[in-house]
Amino acid sequence: AQTVTQSQPEMSVQEAETVTLSCTYDTSENNYYLFWYKQPPSRQMILVIRQEAYKQQNATENRFSVNFQKAAKSFSLKISDSQLGDTAMYFCAFMLRDDKIIFGKGTRLHILP
Amino acid sequence: EAGVVQSPRYKIIEKKQPVAFWCNPISGHNTLYWYLQNLGQGPELLIRYENEEAVDDSQLPKDRFSAERLKGVDSTLKIQPAELGDSAVYLCASSLGVGSTTGELFFGEGSRLTVL
């Protein structure tokens, strides 16, 4: 069975600092997607960044980047120059090619002024 | 382009009462998901549709929960009768479906249910 584990329930960092959120997953499949979704307080969930398992190059989106270690089944999210608007729940998610998607329990991130 | 629309945003009912949630996905999205999200937790899949077909409803408590997606567009999730433990946010999401090059899910704002 596929699982997604986020080992950090809550984190706090100062504005402008860099923070890394951890995620590990377990699967026997070889082709899949990995995602980080952001859910701000009382707002809808949105995609932050996406990684396809067959791509070795780590995905980047502006201040957001991932460290994808396929052999270790690790998919961490790095937020550089953190901003107050980055305060949110962050969910790591794993999707097989058949659209079955599994979410982790989330990491609550606080950016402190 | 309109996003995923859900209603109602908030619903307060007494236990044993019925409740229904509605979702309108993004136009052209074949796959529709209903998720349950408890406070401070990640979304848990209730049911997934590919067009009109429920392809994964293994986590749907069928004794009290039901869902439908008529004509492969809008969907309704119903709970009857509601229990105290059903208090949660019910999220609807849609995607282009199998074969999509992105796999991205687009979420609605959710329907927050409080059962008293």
Side-chain angles (χ1 to χ4, degrees):
Chain A
Q2 287 81 17
T3 59
V4 177
T5 302
Q6 294 181 248
S7 59
Q8 304 149 315
E10 195 160 1
M11 299 181 72
S12 295
V13 296
Q14 294 295 135
E15 191 177 8
E17 290 186 350
T18 295
V19 60
T20 298
L21 280 58
S22 301
C23 173
T24 58
Y25 59 95
D26 189 24
T27 182
S28 58
E29 301 290 331
N30 197 43
N31 293 320
Y32 48 87
Y33 294 109
L34 292 162
F35 306 90
W36 280 96
Y37 281 89
K38 170 185 178 181
Q39 189 175 40
S42 301
R43 294 180 62 186
Q44 66 199 106
M45 197 173 307
I46 58 173
L47 180 67
V48 174
I49 198 165
R50 170 183 57 244
Q51 175 82 40
E52 296 172 52
Y54 69 87
K55 291 186 177 179
Q56 292 186 338
Q57 186 174 3
N58 289 326
T60 62
E61 288 288 341
N62 301 312
R63 298 182 295 107
F64 298 87
S65 62
V66 299
N67 183 4
F68 174 46
Q69 302 289 330
K70 191 172 184 179
K73 297 180 182 176
S74 171
F75 183 62
S76 61
L77 174 69
K78 185 171 79 171
I79 306 174
S80 303
D81 185 25
S82 58
Q83 301 175 359
L84 296 179
D86 296 333
T87 292
M89 283 287 286
Y90 287 82
F91 295 98
C92 179
F94 166 93
M95 175 187 267
L96 295 172
R97 293 292 295 175
D98 66 353
D99 279 1
K100 183 178 179 66
I101 183 167
I102 299 168
F103 287 87
K105 293 187 181 298
T107 296
R108 186 177 300 278
L109 178 63
H110 302 275
I111 307 300
L112 306 174
Chain B
E1 178 181 329
V4 176
V5 179
Q6 290 188 246
S7 69
R9 287 292 313 281
Y10 304 93
K11 187 74 175 179
I12 301 174
I13 60 172
E14 293 189 348
K15 63 181 181 181
K16 300 185 181 180
Q17 294 300 306
V19 63
F21 304 111
W22 174 81
C23 174
N24 179 239
I26 292 174
S27 178
H29 280 194
N30 298 321
T31 305
L32 183 146
Y33 306 77
W34 282 103
Y35 284 95
L36 166 70
Q37 186 177 27
N38 288 305
L39 186 64
Q41 299 293 313
E44 299 171 29
L45 181 69
L46 289 172
I47 190 168
R48 172 166 59 99
Y49 284 93
E50 293 290 342
N51 299 304
E52 298 172 337
E53 182 182 1
V55 296
D56 186 353
D57 63 356
S58 58
Q59 301 303 311
L60 189 72
K62 298 180 182 65
D63 57 336
R64 299 185 300 107
F65 286 66
S66 63
E68 60 182 10
R69 190 183 184 195
L70 300 177
K71 300 181 180 179
V73 182
D74 294 1
S75 178
T76 302
L77 177 70
K78 298 178 181 178
I79 308 174
Q80 182 171 12
E83 297 179 352
L84 295 177
D86 296 332
S87 294
V89 175
Y90 292 83
L91 296 173
C92 180
S94 70
S95 72
L96 287 170
V98 175
S100 164
T101 57
T102 70
E104 179 179 357
L105 266 63
F106 295 82
F107 285 85
E109 293 182 293
S111 295
R112 182 178 297 276
L113 174 66
T114 301
V115 182
L116 303 177

